Amino acid sequence: MKYICFLTWLIGLAVALYAGPKLNVVASVPDLGDMAKRIGQDKVEVVVLATGREDLHAVPARPSFLPKLNRADLVLSLGLDAEHAWLPALCAEARNTRIREDAAGWVETWPGISVLGVPAKLDRSEGEQHPEGNPHYNIGPQCGPVMAGNILQAFSVAAPQYANFFKDNAAVYTGELEKLLHELKEQGAPLRGVTIIDYHPDVPYLCDFYGMQAVGSIEPKAGVAPTAGHLHTLEETGKAKKVQLIVYNQSQNPKIPRQLAQRISCATVEIANAVGAKKEIRTWAELQRYNLTALLNALRTGQGDR
Ligand SMILES: [Zn+2]
């Protein structure tokens, strides 16, 4: 009996060794980490840099990021300059040629998404944070399957021996996402036609999915603080367009949204800008459900989070 147990253990060990090393994946944000784990499962080692509570444009760089990036086979990021202020410099400092911006290991998950807010010309003057179009597609439910597809593609190229395994996992996952999208669309029907103002312009994909209309942003340009004049104009617009909700996220100061909401006489609502923004948001699917619930509650009560 002992001999059989030993033999079984030996065969298990041989299979594990034959399977080869895991793919080392670093995800810039927890949204991509969640998807990477679902698709890669036990064939990938996933580490995530941001906690999800931060402003995605300004994640504080920690010394612990460098060894993680140094070992990485792939770095997954939202791209479109979402992580421009912190990730490329860290990758360069990590001394790993596999994950330079021009290398195969640098993977952005936006290709295939209809990018919104693409400016006529690239311009980072005045601190514009969206020079290549709006990068906050991770909170748009419709973008999930495309993001997952890009991760599948990158994994299959980096570790072709597991391509079928990744493909099967991705098929199950995207099936779940399609079902989720259907549920969200049904439950989110009351949001159709609702007018909103956002803080940082980070909800256009969310608006697109639910049929909400954003009539302005507290920041006159992404990353630029509002002036008194801009807020006055926004108040007038908000009243004229009968704005119902002012939407901000957990990384933003609620003071200005609440003051503006009082002047316009509407509700405020705090949503989450990423997985991990709240402790109960552990997966990308939970992020979408959390935001829908927050929006519907604010709309129904007219009180928002005040
Ligand atoms: Zn932004």
Side-chain angles (χ1 to χ4, degrees), residues 55 57 82 129-130 134-136 200-202 222-223:
D55 170 359
H57 295 300
Q129 291 175 324
H130 300 167
N134 199 296
H136 298 280
H200 180 77
D202 52 8

Side-chain angles (χ1 to χ4, degrees), residues 60-79:
R62 297 187 187 90
S64 62
F65 288 176
L66 288 176
K68 291 170 181 167
L69 288 165
N70 180 261
R71 286 192 297 271
D73 296 307
L74 296 175
V75 169
L76 306 177
S77 66
L78 294 170

Side-chain angles (χ1 to χ4, degrees), residues 15 26 76 93 96 120 124 136 146 151 165 167-168 188 190 212-213 230 234 244 246 284 293-294 306:
V15 168
V26 172
L76 306 177
E93 209 179 324
N96 176 352
R124 289 199 182 94
H136 298 280
V146 181
I151 293 171
F165 174 76
K167 193 176 161 193
D168 290 346
M212 296 187 292
Q213 191 194 356
H230 174 72
L234 200 56
Q244 290 161 273
I246 298 182
W284 190 82
T293 303
R306 279 179 290 170

Side-chain angles (χ1 to χ4, degrees), residues 126 196-201 214-239 246 256-257 259-261 263-264:
E126 298 181 67
I196 68 131
I197 286 173
D198 54 11
Y199 194 127
H200 180 77
V215 302
S217 299
I218 288 172
E219 291 180 354
K221 275 187 176 184
V224 178
T227 60
H230 174 72
L231 289 174
H232 180 71
T233 307
L234 200 56
E235 179 186 335
E236 296 302 309
T237 306
K239 287 174 180 166
I246 298 182
I256 298 178
Q259 285 173 347
L260 188 61
R263 291 193 208 123
I264 296 175

